Amino acid sequence: MERVKLEVKPRDAAGSREARRLRRSGLIPAVLYGSGKAAVSIAVDEHALRAAVGTVAGLHAVLDVVIEGHKQPHVAIVKEYELDKVKHVVTHVDFQEIKLTERIESNVTVTFEGTPVGVKLGGGLLDVVTREVTVSALPTDVPDHIALNVEELEVGGVAHVSDLQVPDNVAILDDPDEVVCSVLAPRVAEVAAGEEGEEAPAAPAEPEVVGEREAESEE
């Protein structure tokens, strides 16, 4: 996993008024939590944060958080964040300091490669049940994503968590029997597409996805 430098500013004041003042000046209120250490109140430039999490690793990037006036960086990850539901902008961030020698748990995106034979030749539709799994690994070993080749899935075929391939130094914590995706039969696919107000095409050139059951992240 990529490491990214992120410079932040210390902040002394707290409260909603101070938070609003910071946001008006382009800064996001944040807190850096350390293992066995007192939490540190900081402020991060919204553009700097966007650039830090805009890498391939995204919100899973390992950050070298440098507090203004301090030389020693804090190795951390984004633990939680708050999002304005109307403006869709980040309003607060929690960073968690970590040790590079200790395993962490992280959610990793599953990407789908290829067109299932059941879609290409059988007129079915690819039904994605989950797009993310939880893994355990050293911070720098957490994969940016996990690719799943679905080309051999026929109509009625199912891919489980156990079918996901990860390096030996990465462990998937989810139930191995949990369904990741399946190919719906044409009749079922037609009903599923109809529920979304669309007609199911006979033989799509690319895999179409229906029935995505995982709610969108607030990120």
Side-chain angles (χ1 to χ4, degrees):
M1 179 175 286
E2 188 173 356
R3 290 182 63 175
V4 183
K5 182 179 180 180
L6 178 64
E7 297 182 346
V8 301
K9 299 178 181 294
R11 63 182 175 97
D12 298 323
S16 57
R17 175 179 292 184
E18 173 64 11
R20 287 194 295 269
R21 185 192 70 78
L22 287 172
R23 295 185 190 110
R24 284 195 297 269
S25 63
L27 297 174
I28 302 172
V31 176
L32 174 64
Y33 293 94
S35 179
K37 304 176 184 177
V40 180
S41 296
I42 55 177
V44 56
D45 181 88
E46 59 179 325
H47 298 295
L49 179 64
R50 188 178 298 115
V53 300
T55 63
V56 175
L59 288 168
H60 306 307
V62 177
L63 307 171
D64 287 320
V65 179
V66 180
I67 302 176
E68 186 178 79
H70 298 250
K71 293 182 179 180
Q72 186 67 31
H74 300 264
V75 181
I77 57 174
V78 174
K79 188 66 174 179
E80 293 182 357
Y81 65 92
E82 295 176 6
L83 192 69
D84 186 294
K85 296 181 179 179
V86 177
K87 299 179 180 179
H88 299 288
V89 294
V90 176
T91 57
H92 190 276
V93 184
D94 286 343
F95 297 99
Q96 177 65 54
E97 193 166 1
I98 61 174
K99 295 181 179 180
L100 295 177
T101 56
E102 295 182 358
R103 297 174 76 91
I104 62 172
E105 293 183 11
S106 181
N107 294 330
V108 176
T109 299
V110 178
T111 60
F112 302 90
E113 298 182 344
T115 302
V117 65
V119 171
K120 187 183 299 183
L121 303 178
L125 287 179
L126 180 64
D127 179 26
V128 174
V129 178
T130 182
R131 291 185 180 273
E132 209 172 55
V133 292
T134 303
V135 305
S136 171
L138 294 177
T140 53
D141 290 337
V142 175
D144 299 327
H145 68 277
I146 299 174
L148 175 63
N149 190 305
V150 295
E151 290 182 344
E152 296 184 4
L153 282 182
E154 299 181 354
V155 172
V158 179
H160 299 88
V161 168
S162 58
D163 296 314
L164 299 175
Q165 301 297 314
V166 293
D168 292 338
N169 53 6
V170 177
I172 298 179
L173 302 181
D174 294 29
D175 184 347
D177 295 327
E178 183 179 343
V179 175
V180 176
C181 66
S182 64
V183 175
L184 299 177
R187 183 180 179 83
V188 176
E190 183 178 349
V191 172
E195 290 177 350
E196 298 196 10
E198 300 178 357
E199 292 186 5
E206 296 294 333
E208 293 196 30
V209 178
V210 299
E212 182 174 342
R213 303 168 192 174
E214 183 173 293
E216 287 186 2
S217 168
E218 64 176 357
E219 301 174 32

